[in-house]
Amino acid sequence: MTTSFNSLRNGPDERGFFGNFGGRFVAETLMPLILELEDAWEKAKADPTFAEELKSLSVDYAGRPSPLYFAERLTEHCRALSGGKGGAEIWFKREELNHTGSHKINNCLGQILLARRMGKTRIIAETGAGQHGVAAATVSARFGLPCMVYMGATDVERQKPNVFRMRLLGAEVTAVTSGAGTLKDAMNEALRDWVTNVEDTYYLIGTAAGPHPYPVMVRDFQSVIGIETKDQFRAVKGRLPDAVLACVGGGSNAIGMFHPFLDDPEVAIYGVEAGGHGIDVPNGHAASMNGGRPGVLHGNRTYLLQDADGQILEGHSISAGLDYPGVGPEHSWLRDSGRVTYVPATDREALDAFQVCTKLEGIIPALESSHAIAEALKLAPTMDKDKAIVVCLSGRGDKDVFSVAGYLGETI
Amino acid sequence: MTETRISRRFAKTAAENRPALVTFVTAGDPDLETSLAIVSALPKAGADVIELGMPFSDPMADGPAIQAAGKRALDAGQTLAKTLDLVRRFRATDAATPIVLMGYYNPIFIYGVDRFLTDATAAGVDGLIVVDLPPEADDELCLPARAAGINFVRLATPTTDDKRLPSVLANASGFVYYVSINGITGSAAPDAGLVAAAVDRIKRHTDLPVAVGFGVRTAEQAREIGRNADGVVVGSALVGAIAGSLADGRATEATVPAVARLVEDLARGVRAARARAAE
């Protein structure tokens, strides 16, 4: 990592804080485990064989680098929307072409290698949409480790194809019925498992949140997205893009895309949160940075959806992967510092973007990624033709076709 | 060390050559008025220290029984302000029994640490146990609480090794809560032999009383654990007794007596813990 005095890329500090956000707010039982993990991660980073092993798997197993693709017809669509006056070029960073169909594999490969180095013999993970669960189950199968995936009962119901994929991969899927049965409840249950099985178990967190060192570790594993984007865009255009966009739930694909660009002030950065039914609808969205306030949950201080008593709200999104009441702490810090602009996209806007992208580009995006595309459709027409924006297409939408059919009133 | 309700109470039980019985119930479970009646009945039934759970939507360290208790309380409208008010009302009738609030950090953070400490002190709170504030986060609440005269009770666990123990004990006050198992509240019964060794280990590092909890459900377990521990904490069994007394989720005439009976039984257990030594 390049560091300098004025860099925005130096965080976190040694206690895991990005400004006021982050930290290690965990039960004492887990504290020694988290310190052990931090130690193992520092050693792995300093060991060239770790990087080589990860690189080799990323290329041969996951299919990296993922392509950077000029979305020509979507660009034309936006130029038409601008009345021919403008319309920036729209490019996709195609993380949906990775093995398992999303960016989640980048993080899972890194963490499973770390778990092996630590001598852990059992993997646990939480999942919302099932994308991380599938990636965790995949790497566990690849390395022959038993894997337990915690998934909210509501999500098990709305993401059946992914549940079956995980089971095919040999993972055990536990449906969590506490709370509203979504991602935060799954994370609570995974933490309860970890605290009970401290000796042999590795908790493979799927997003850039949780206690330090998870946010920085997951960010570093996902930064391959932004690093490749920079190189690929430069190779085509000889410069950097004018804006990069990504959807933000916990925010792992976003921080992976954003982090390499933080010190490039000519690049505008947009994170797109789940606006659900609308930011003004109480508990009707999952936009923690646009409609929440700072609090402490799941080991870190960050923006959270919560009531006046500090009880965490469930939130809502059409997309199970964005349906989380918190966000990674580095995003909270980037929000307050003003470097990244976080905006909401509603369920309706995401659904429209999903259909436009599918029809015009022949690419079915995940509902999560459709939020980022929705913002691109708003932003591109306001920019000049010689500008370019890159959208992180974090996942493919095959998993969403059943729920989209439901929203469109069709039976399949 | 300044004398507090907590130190006076542990000195008293030590003088009686027995462990203190520390009882946990969730504030506002199953409703505010019944909860006050339960808390008020605890000292008479034999509880020496009262731990009062501050309900939280995401109780990561708790098992099903205390999760359900927290949900009942929140569904009945419990808030941190109401919990402090419950303490104030209890304190008006009992000036001696220590009250320790136990829970998670976020509701306190949102209430505001300074305001919380002011209101907790005024209400008559003696100590705090905040599960997700390890020593690394002492500047958040532990140090301000100590400055305000409220004890910050530290959790030590089987994973807290000798290297880490001094930092865990550094800013501890009131007593040390030894979590007897790796796990969540209300799970497997602890191995009394392992617990005894762990308590001895902690006592080599501190003069504070050491209370043991997580997984202690019966008078027999309380008697066994209490042989060398200064206190025995029982929680899930008590909230389980509350749950078992409800009809359609609401309190019945059996609710308060159900808890009191179990506490009386546990009180006999802790009083028998060192019976032979007392002979």
Side-chain angles (χ1 to χ4, degrees):
Chain A
M1 187 169 95
T2 332
T3 57
S4 70
F5 184 73
N6 287 318
S7 175
L8 292 168
R9 304 173 68 218
N10 291 345
D13 67 18
E14 71 284 359
R15 297 165 63 220
F17 279 93
F18 302 89
N20 283 322
F21 300 103
R24 280 190 279 232
F25 297 89
V26 297
E28 173 60 24
T29 310
L30 294 181
M31 205 55 220
L33 281 72
I34 281 166
L35 294 172
E36 181 196 0
L37 174 63
E38 185 185 14
D39 187 50
W41 166 231
E42 290 301 329
K43 287 192 177 113
K45 270 197 296 189
D47 180 353
T49 62
F50 181 80
E52 282 162 23
E53 213 178 345
L54 179 56
K55 172 87 180 174
S56 162
L57 281 165
S58 298
V59 171
D60 302 331
Y61 189 67
R64 298 213 72 85
S66 69
L68 182 70
Y69 163 77
F70 176 43
E72 195 176 348
R73 295 195 66 215
L74 210 57
T75 301
E76 284 168 13
H77 173 75
C78 287
R79 286 184 174 162
L81 286 177
S82 80
K85 291 194 290 288
E89 290 183 0
I90 297 174
W91 294 70
F92 287 159
K93 178 60 176 166
R94 308 254 340 243
E95 290 297 302
E96 101 283 8
L97 290 177
N98 296 338
H99 182 41
T100 76
S102 80
H103 69 291
K104 293 292 187 186
I105 193 76
N106 303 333
N107 169 47
C108 285
L109 282 175
Q111 288 202 52
I112 198 93
L113 291 180
L114 195 59
R116 278 162 53 86
R117 288 168 78 96
M118 294 174 74
K120 301 293 180 182
T121 55
R122 176 176 177 267
I123 303 298
I124 58 171
E126 84 294 336
T127 196
Q131 294 297 83
H132 173 59
V134 166
T138 296
V139 298
S140 298
R142 167 65 183 76
F143 288 101
L145 296 174
C147 178
M148 170 73 88
V149 178
Y150 291 95
M151 189 170 185
T154 307
D155 290 338
V156 166
E157 195 51 42
R158 61 178 171 174
Q159 301 287 341
K160 279 180 186 162
N162 271 345
V163 174
F164 188 61
R165 286 169 79 194
M166 287 183 263
R167 291 194 170 130
L168 281 174
L169 289 159
E172 197 177 329
V173 180
T174 299
V176 177
T177 53
S178 62
T182 58
L183 182 51
K184 92 173 167 78
D185 310 297
M187 199 151 178
N188 289 335
E189 211 56 38
L191 285 164
R192 290 179 187 122
D193 181 313
W194 200 23
V195 88
T196 308
N197 300 290
V198 297
E199 298 295 334
D200 62 348
T201 296
Y202 183 93
Y203 182 13
L204 208 175
I205 293 185
T207 194
H212 179 65
Y214 282 103
V216 61
M217 185 170 71
V218 175
R219 177 198 76 196
D220 286 355
F221 288 138
Q222 293 293 2
S223 287
V224 66
I225 300 173
I227 292 167
E228 284 179 7
T229 299
K230 267 187 148 173
D231 290 348
Q232 290 167 322
F233 197 86
R234 267 207 193 101
V236 181
K237 297 273 187 183
R239 62 177 181 95
L240 295 180
D242 300 286
V244 294
L245 278 71
C247 64
V248 181
S252 70
N253 91 86
I255 202 68
M257 176 61 113
F258 298 169
H259 193 259
F261 288 99
L262 291 178
D263 287 339
D264 300 300
E266 70 271 33
V267 181
I269 306 180
Y270 295 89
V272 188
E273 294 195 286
H277 303 307
I279 293 295
D280 301 331
V281 179
N283 206 17
H285 59 83
S288 49
M289 288 184 291
N290 279 284
R293 59 178 170 144
V296 174
L297 179 71
H298 293 153
N300 62 148
R301 175 156 44 221
T302 193
Y303 276 87
L304 297 172
L305 301 176
Q306 53 187 319
D307 69 13
D309 190 45
Q311 308 296 337
I312 309 304
L313 302 173
E314 293 290 343
H316 158 81
S317 171
I318 188 173
S319 143
L322 301 182
D323 204 348
Y324 179 68
V327 64
E330 193 165 8
H331 286 295
S332 291
W333 176 71
L334 289 168
R335 172 203 185 274
D336 281 10
S337 74
R339 175 63 184 99
V340 178
T341 305
Y342 293 92
V343 295
T346 63
D347 287 352
R348 185 74 247 171
E349 289 166 337
L351 201 54
D352 289 347
F354 176 95
Q355 294 173 86
V356 169
C357 180
T358 300
K359 286 191 177 129
L360 293 182
E361 294 293 344
I363 296 172
I364 304 178
L367 278 172
E368 290 79 16
S369 322
S370 299
H371 286 73
I373 298 169
E375 177 59 24
L377 293 175
K378 286 186 237 176
L379 190 64
T382 69
M383 295 168 70
D384 290 339
K385 281 184 180 175
D386 60 351
K387 304 289 185 191
I389 64 184
V390 179
V391 179
C392 184
L393 203 64
S394 55
R396 66 176 182 229
D398 306 52
K399 69 185 174 61
D400 294 315
V401 295
F402 293 97
S403 50
V404 168
Y407 279 103
L408 298 178
E410 290 187 27
T411 318
I412 52 176
Chain B
M1 196 177 78
T2 37
E3 214 177 73
T4 63
R5 274 190 207 100
I6 292 175
S7 68
R8 278 195 294 272
R9 183 51 53 100
F10 277 99
K12 172 176 174 284
T13 56
E16 293 171 10
N17 191 29
R18 66 173 180 88
L21 176 60
V22 182
T23 55
F24 172 97
V25 290
T26 299
D29 173 28
D31 61 75
L32 188 54
E33 292 310 313
T34 307
S35 184
L36 178 62
I38 290 168
V39 172
S40 302
L42 291 173
K44 188 159 171 280
D48 298 298
V49 177
I50 296 172
E51 272 180 26
L52 199 52
M54 300 173 279
F56 182 49
S57 53
D58 295 79
M60 281 96 61
D62 287 304
I66 294 178
Q67 286 178 43
K71 184 161 190 316
R72 288 194 296 270
L74 291 174
D75 287 348
Q78 191 67 12
T79 61
L80 186 49
K82 287 181 182 175
T83 298
L84 292 172
D85 196 50
L86 193 159
V87 175
R88 187 186 57 75
R89 289 168 71 191
F90 169 82
R91 192 52 82 212
T93 64
D94 183 324
T97 306
I99 294 238
V100 177
L101 294 182
M102 181 166 184
Y104 298 81
Y105 184 38
N106 196 53
I108 296 171
F109 178 73
I110 293 302
Y111 194 94
V113 166
D114 292 343
R115 181 176 156 233
F116 171 75
L117 291 173
T118 303
D119 292 356
T121 305
V125 170
D126 303 290
L128 301 174
I129 302 174
V130 183
V131 177
D132 50 356
L133 287 180
E136 283 77 0
D138 271 358
D139 50 348
E140 296 279 338
L141 181 63
C142 173
L143 299 179
R146 286 194 68 169
I150 292 184
N151 286 159
F152 199 84
V153 175
R154 188 70 85 197
L155 300 165
T157 69
T159 57
T160 312
D161 58 20
D162 278 331
K163 193 168 128 243
R164 186 168 166 77
L165 197 51
S167 68
V168 168
L169 296 172
N171 294 316
S173 53
F175 61 95
V176 177
Y177 186 138
Y178 180 65
V179 175
S180 64
I181 48 154
N182 288 322
I184 51 179
T185 54
S187 42
D191 178 306
L194 290 178
V195 170
V199 169
D200 288 342
R201 181 166 72 91
I202 294 168
K203 285 169 94 61
R204 283 198 294 275
H205 287 84
T206 180
D207 294 329
L208 290 171
V210 179
V212 176
F214 277 48
V216 183
R217 311 186 63 86
T218 66
E220 176 55 27
Q221 285 175 304
R223 188 178 69 79
E224 205 171 4
I225 297 285
R227 271 189 202 134
N228 76 329
D230 302 302
V232 180
V233 189
V234 182
S236 294
L238 296 180
V239 303
I242 295 174
S245 74
L246 305 178
D248 296 329
R250 289 169 193 275
T252 64
E253 286 183 356
T255 300
V256 178
V259 180
R261 263 200 312 279
L262 181 52
V263 172
E264 285 162 13
D265 193 32
L266 292 163
R268 279 190 290 274
V270 296
R271 279 166 179 77
R274 298 171 206 159
R276 186 172 296 167
E279 275 165 12

